[in-house]
Amino acid sequence: MDIKKAKEQIKNAITAYFTKDERGHYLVPLYKQRPIFLMGPPGIGKTAIIEQVAGELGVGMLSYSMTHHTRQSALGLPYIVHKNYGGQEYAVSEYTMSEIIASIYDLMEETGVKEGILFLDEINCVSETLAPIMLQFLQYKVFGRHRVPDGWVVVTAGNPPEYNNSVREFDVVTWDRLKRIDVEPDFDVWKEYAYKAGVHAAVLTYLEIRKTDFYQIASTVDGKRFVTARGWDDLSQMLQLYELHGLTVDEDLIGQYLQDKKIARSFASYYDLFNKYRSDYQVDDILAGVADEEIKERARAAGFDERLSLIGLLLDGVTGQIREVIDGKKILEQLMQVLKQFRVQAVKTGKAPGEILEQLRDAQADKLAKGRKAGSLSADGQAQGETLLGMLEEDLERIAHSEDAMSAFGLLKMDFDSKVKALRQSGEEKGQLLHNLFVFAEEVFGDGHEILLIVTELTSNYYTAKYISEYGCEKYFAHNQELLFYERQKKIMQALEQLDLDGQTEDEIV
């Protein structure tokens, strides 16, 4: 299955494992919870989806690569205790708590998170001395005498044998105790993640043209040649940072992430061309609705690859603007909850307004710190939390001279209302960008497939899809109807092509 379906399977399984009865006991006890085993080739995002699941469920996460562990660190160190059995004293070996199990308890103590995911990567590549211990752990969730705490789900991952010579095959007894999920790379699914993660437009448009370059692993006389989803993701981040600092992106840099010379050379050539398009096409003018006729004529005469690159640039420009609105709304929703708490405490406690707001700010800072440490907050959630703290600092200055809590609340609400108004206005302005995008596409591309491609990309893009669902876009909805009709027509044609009409009469077909 693809990585999106795998994520859904994992999320649903963990949700089921966390279900409790009316007495607060887990319906599936720990010893009956099958560890989830995520099997798939390297670099397709197995670790990333576990992090996403933890963030979306708001639970803790601890991650270990088992190839880095020894028997002692996993099992614990032996020590001698003296016990009396039937009047006779014996020296007995016991083990200190495993480093892995101890880390779970440490995280629970430090963050207050009681439920979480213990993620053990490369589980089928452990050393020979550690293998029996790991097999026992997968069956009983126990290292030595110490068990994984209730409320912690074990998720593991590994590569198939063809990708790693160190892989150890599990026996049937072990497989029968695991919940195995096999994952394969899929560009169209990864693209949804890429839009949300802000992957560089050059990467997305290149892979749209050359999907076969998305994931490749091959053995040659010179060794392994490979390109993975992780490589594209990491390269994207480096491209953005190099552009930020005005540094030169060349084939040498690209080859450090895309370890296939042919693909690295191909993308390096495309990246240079992409930058030329970015310079030649005045994207800001197009989205502002003031593109000159020369730009339109060039777009009309452009070949398929150039048109696709232009669409990628336009979608990237729109997404960057719309993301500010979507993230801004989430932050204001959190700020609203803090102000509601301020009002309640202002009425109940009679404390000074500055003291109330300081306590609420400290609570948010503590929540952010614990969420970051526990792994229960996504990168976006952390960024939003930091922005919220900045707003609360500004609010503290705003009410610094207020002695009455309710009058201070009035000042805070007035500022909040102005922020909401500004966000609403910004949202409407972003809608005009979308409108101008469609107007340009209609004028330049006419009835071509480019507009249907734009609709498809806007639908699969997390930020634009969320924006359109909340703010609407008349031209999107109009063209989306055309897309639905086109997809229905295409399915009908495909069905007809599969029919064997040789020797059949019209009456027989009917």
Side-chain angles (χ1 to χ4, degrees):
M1 68 180 69
D2 61 57
I3 201 77
K4 182 179 180 181
K5 292 179 181 176
K7 175 184 173 182
E8 184 179 357
Q9 289 284 328
I10 294 168
K11 192 173 180 179
N12 290 344
I14 293 175
T15 300
Y17 287 160
F18 284 160
T19 305
K20 298 178 181 178
D21 61 19
E22 62 278 2
R23 294 170 296 174
H25 299 150
Y26 291 100
L27 291 178
V28 182
L30 184 67
Y31 74 93
K32 291 285 288 182
Q33 293 178 8
R34 289 193 174 203
I36 299 167
F37 189 103
L38 198 57
M39 176 75 87
I44 63 172
K46 298 188 292 292
T47 304
I49 65 167
I50 305 303
E51 293 172 349
Q52 292 169 27
V53 169
E56 290 172 14
L57 293 178
V59 300
M61 177 182 169
L62 275 174
S63 178
Y64 283 95
S65 175
M66 295 312 299
T67 56
H68 300 155
H69 275 273
T70 64
R71 186 178 188 275
Q72 288 75 23
S73 62
L75 182 62
L77 295 173
Y79 65 96
I80 304 299
V81 297
H82 295 276
K83 293 188 177 183
N84 191 294
Y85 298 118
Q88 182 73 34
E89 187 175 275
Y90 296 90
V92 179
S93 295
E94 290 198 3
Y95 286 88
T96 59
M97 181 176 285
S98 158
E99 174 190 327
I100 296 173
I101 302 295
S103 294
I104 299 176
Y105 283 106
D106 288 341
L107 189 68
M108 293 169 67
E109 288 290 324
E110 293 169 6
T111 67
V113 171
K114 300 303 180 185
E115 294 180 328
I117 300 169
L118 174 60
F119 179 59
L120 305 179
D121 199 6
E122 300 181 282
I123 195 73
N124 55 349
C125 296
V126 296
S127 65
E128 186 175 349
T129 56
L130 187 55
I133 297 168
M134 288 310 306
L135 294 179
Q136 181 187 42
F137 174 79
L138 292 175
Q139 293 178 26
Y140 305 111
K141 290 86 172 177
V142 171
F143 280 130
R145 294 173 59 89
H146 302 100
R147 184 171 64 91
V148 172
D150 289 338
W152 281 76
V153 175
V154 178
V155 180
T156 66
N159 300 323
E162 59 266 32
Y163 296 103
N164 195 325
N165 294 331
S166 302
V167 167
R168 295 177 177 278
E169 185 60 44
F170 291 157
D171 56 30
V172 175
V173 175
T174 303
W175 280 127
D176 194 39
R177 287 174 166 82
L178 298 175
K179 182 180 174 65
R180 175 169 171 168
I181 300 174
D182 290 279
V183 191
E184 295 294 335
D186 186 309
F187 168 67
D188 290 325
V189 171
W190 179 80
K191 186 169 65 174
E192 293 183 30
Y193 153 80
Y195 272 130
K196 191 170 183 180
V199 167
H200 197 288
V203 170
L204 286 171
T205 52
Y206 173 84
L207 292 175
E208 195 66 54
I209 299 168
R210 298 175 178 82
K211 291 184 179 181
T212 56
D213 288 354
F214 171 60
Y215 193 96
Q216 289 193 22
I217 296 181
S219 297
T220 69
V221 292
D222 298 322
K224 290 282 189 182
R225 293 188 293 104
F226 59 92
V227 176
T228 68
R230 181 194 297 130
W232 286 112
D233 197 1
D234 292 346
L235 173 61
S236 164
Q237 187 176 41
M238 195 56 63
L239 291 177
Q240 291 165 343
L241 292 173
Y242 268 51
E243 291 173 359
L244 178 66
H245 293 285
L247 302 175
T248 300
V249 174
D250 55 22
E251 188 178 331
D252 289 335
L253 171 70
I254 293 168
Q256 295 162 21
Y257 296 90
L258 310 181
Q259 299 190 42
D260 181 304
K261 290 184 178 179
K262 183 179 178 182
I263 295 176
R265 188 178 304 115
S266 175
F267 179 74
S269 298
Y270 176 80
Y271 178 75
D272 290 340
L273 197 58
F274 181 87
N275 280 330
K276 186 177 186 305
Y277 296 151
R278 182 156 52 182
S279 174
D280 292 349
Y281 285 105
Q282 299 162 8
V283 172
D284 290 341
D285 286 348
I286 293 174
L287 296 179
V290 294
D292 60 40
E293 194 59 33
E294 183 180 347
I295 293 296
K296 295 177 183 177
E297 283 300 324
R298 172 167 179 173
R300 290 189 189 100
F304 172 74
D305 287 8
E306 184 170 339
R307 288 188 174 196
L308 201 58
S309 298
L310 173 58
I311 290 172
L313 285 165
L314 293 171
L315 290 172
D316 187 57
V318 169
T319 300
Q321 299 273 346
I322 283 177
R323 180 170 183 166
E324 295 177 5
V325 176
I326 301 302
D327 288 346
K329 183 178 180 182
K330 290 180 180 178
I331 294 166
L332 288 186
E333 287 172 350
Q334 296 176 48
L335 179 59
M336 181 175 66
Q337 294 304 317
V338 174
L339 295 183
K340 284 183 177 179
Q341 295 175 46
F342 179 92
R343 184 176 184 179
V344 169
Q345 293 192 32
V347 173
K348 286 186 175 181
T349 65
K351 293 180 180 177
E355 182 182 357
I356 296 173
L357 194 56
E358 281 181 359
Q359 291 175 347
L360 292 173
R361 177 208 56 194
D362 292 345
Q364 290 298 318
D366 185 59
K367 178 181 176 182
L368 176 62
K370 288 181 176 179
R372 183 183 285 117
K373 185 173 183 62
S376 57
L377 270 182
S378 65
D380 285 347
Q382 293 177 37
Q384 291 162 15
E386 290 168 359
T387 302
L388 175 62
L389 287 177
M391 289 182 173
L392 292 176
E393 290 292 344
E394 293 174 356
D395 282 344
L396 276 169
E397 295 181 10
R398 188 168 287 108
I399 63 170
H401 302 294
S402 298
E403 297 181 1
D404 176 69
M406 292 310 297
S407 63
F409 176 75
L411 292 174
L412 296 176
K413 186 177 183 304
M414 186 182 303
D415 178 70
F416 177 80
D417 290 342
S418 69
K419 284 185 171 68
V420 171
K421 183 179 178 180
L423 182 68
R424 188 178 297 116
Q425 182 178 347
S426 177
E428 293 172 356
E429 292 172 356
K430 308 314 179 194
Q432 188 61 45
L433 298 180
L434 271 177
H435 177 82
N436 293 339
L437 168 60
F438 276 109
V439 169
F440 175 83
E442 290 167 348
E443 186 175 349
V444 170
F445 303 128
D447 297 328
H449 291 305
E450 287 83 2
I451 292 183
L452 297 183
L453 175 62
I454 290 171
V455 171
T456 302
E457 297 304 303
L458 290 174
T459 303
S460 62
N461 184 322
Y462 168 82
Y463 290 103
T464 53
K466 191 169 183 62
Y467 174 89
I468 291 170
S469 69
E470 295 182 12
Y471 291 88
C473 176
E474 289 184 11
K475 286 192 173 291
Y476 168 86
F477 292 128
H479 288 295
N480 194 36
Q481 290 299 317
E482 296 177 16
L483 175 61
L484 294 174
F485 175 77
Y486 169 76
E487 291 294 339
R488 286 196 299 270
Q489 188 181 48
K490 187 168 68 173
K491 288 180 180 178
I492 292 171
M493 293 303 296
Q494 289 172 345
L496 288 174
E497 289 172 0
Q498 292 171 2
L499 291 175
D500 181 10
L501 302 181
D502 292 341
Q504 291 182 316
T505 66
E506 186 176 344
D507 290 338
E508 289 174 328
I509 295 172
V510 174

